[in-house]
Amino acid sequence: MRKRSSQQNEDPGRIEPLAKLPVFWNLTDKRAVIAGGSDAAAWKAELLAACGAHVDVYAEAEGIGAAMQDLVKGKKVVVQNRPWHTGVFHGAVMAIADCESDDEARAFSCAARAAGVAFNVIDRPAYCQFQFGSIVNRSPVILSISTDGAAPILAQAIRRRVETLLPPSLKGWAATAQALRTTVNSQLEPGPKRRAFWERFVDRCFSSTKPPSELDRQELVSDVERLCSLPITGSVTIVGAGPGDAELLTLKAVRCLQSADLILFDDGVSSDVLELARREAKRMLVGAVEEDEPGRDMNLRQLVTGLARTGKRVVLLKAGDAAASEAVASMITELQMAGLQVDLIPGISESAGISARGHAPAYAEAAPPRARNARAQAR
């Protein structure tokens, strides 16, 4: 029988190529320059002002549109009543222009670059150092969506969908988290207790459609105090990874993977499933739970027990439906007898996965992961 040695992946996971780097920029009390008084320029000016920037608009009076005039009346921007020139960039951190021609766009971008100021020319990506995304605003929770200019309508559609998933009350909960962070950090050391607090916070946040009340805040403070007095304990969760399709995981399984400290997985678990894990989680290949290798089950239980007793959140990720495995049932009993908290999250069996996908013939032609591995070893 082929033996497998446990392998630990110290790399928390590679990042797939990104078209652009998403960055959230603090503009509070920073100077920003807008060239042009059009409605498009006004939208960018209002956006920068909402971020706390001091916005100077360079445009002649006849070029100031109604939208920009409203911003002036609201004292959100200051209009300098003259065209932009190379001296306007001094002291600015960002410059945006609505240019009528490529020649003007080229001149603006060159002048901004020479001054060391980040620049964007509206609707002219060839002259942009950065781009704006489609924004979902639940500040301090902010989401920005970009398609790198490939399909702006798609970005807007994604934003509308995300808007329906994030209740307006999220804004208040995020502000409460911001207010509590100093208290939490001063009383709870980094690690299991602090993570436990924030996970309870998230549960409370998404179980409510209302902004947090004073009672909610008091209960959160009480959670901190309770966690301070509790001993450090780890946990073990056995998760059914299903037939390998990450889309067939339950929401509970995904959430568990994203809160794990250590993930032990057998060789039937697909890389797509592992990609859903928390990036900082350590990963270790431990073979299949049912593998008939002398002492393997005992060694695995000892490994899991030792890791959990250090206060770690350990996830044992098993291909298929963990709830249908007698070996898993036996392991749960023994771990509980060792005094550990153990949870089981069932998965979808391979046969159910075939039905869900509706591609039984195609699946029959492809070998399951373990069979492919065996063939690769034979070659």
Side-chain angles (χ1 to χ4, degrees), residues 311-330:
K312 303 294 185 183
R313 289 174 175 249
V314 181
V315 170
L316 180 58
L317 195 56
K318 178 189 178 303
D321 180 11
S325 168
E326 293 184 4
V328 168
S330 175

Side-chain angles (χ1 to χ4, degrees), residues 32-297:
V33 169
I34 300 287
S38 66
D39 287 353
W43 165 240
K44 294 296 192 291
E46 185 173 12
L47 185 62
L48 300 185
C51 294
H54 300 299
V55 183
D56 287 327
V57 177
Y58 289 85
E60 294 180 297
E62 59 270 21
I64 301 295
M68 190 70 81
Q69 290 175 8
D70 288 341
L71 295 180
V72 174
K73 292 175 183 176
K75 298 183 178 180
K76 294 183 178 181
V77 304
V78 175
V79 173
Q80 300 298 336
N81 198 24
R82 62 182 184 274
W84 73 271
H85 54 86
T86 56
V88 305
F89 302 102
H90 180 71
V93 299
M94 182 178 292
I96 299 170
D98 189 8
C99 299
E100 295 183 357
S101 67
D102 276 356
D103 288 342
E104 184 186 2
R106 186 180 302 108
F108 183 88
S109 62
C110 288
R113 182 181 286 109
V117 178
F119 57 90
N120 173 285
V121 179
I122 298 171
D123 290 337
R124 296 180 189 271
Y127 303 105
C128 292
Q129 202 173 47
F130 66 93
Q131 298 175 352
F132 290 88
S134 188
I135 294 174
V136 178
N137 186 3
R138 300 287 189 273
S139 186
V141 175
I142 305 165
L143 282 74
S144 183
I145 302 158
S146 170
T147 61
D148 194 30
I153 295 298
L154 175 60
Q156 293 169 18
I158 294 171
R159 178 184 60 78
R160 288 194 298 271
R161 292 199 176 196
V162 173
E163 288 272 12
T164 64
L165 297 174
L166 301 181
S169 61
L170 184 62
K171 177 182 177 71
W173 284 99
T176 298
Q178 207 168 41
L180 287 173
R181 181 161 293 280
T182 300
T183 299
V184 173
N185 290 350
S186 65
Q187 297 191 40
L188 298 176
E189 293 292 328
K193 288 187 178 181
R194 187 181 291 182
R195 189 176 304 121
F197 170 80
W198 287 117
E199 286 175 355
R200 294 182 193 185
F201 176 91
V202 169
D203 286 342
R204 192 186 296 266
C205 168
F206 283 102
S207 65
S208 174
T209 58
K210 298 179 180 179
S213 63
E214 178 59 25
L215 178 60
D216 289 317
R217 195 195 69 80
Q218 292 175 1
E219 289 179 350
L220 288 167
V221 172
S222 296
D223 275 350
V224 175
E225 295 170 351
R226 281 193 295 271
L227 285 167
C228 282
S229 61
L230 290 176
I232 297 177
T233 57
S235 64
V236 179
T237 305
I238 301 176
V239 177
D245 188 342
E247 293 185 356
L248 296 179
L249 286 177
T250 64
L251 290 175
K252 189 173 183 180
V254 172
R255 183 176 170 186
C256 181
L257 289 174
Q258 292 177 349
S259 64
D261 294 311
L262 291 158
I263 298 175
L264 313 181
F265 62 97
D266 66 43
D267 61 357
V269 175
S270 71
S271 58
D272 288 343
V273 170
L274 289 172
E275 280 295 318
L276 296 174
R278 190 167 74 98
R279 195 165 296 279
E280 295 81 1
K282 300 297 182 183
R283 304 170 191 179
M284 185 182 297
L285 174 65
V286 294
V289 174
E290 291 88 349
E291 184 175 295
D292 185 17
E293 184 175 324
R296 202 207 68 84
D297 280 354

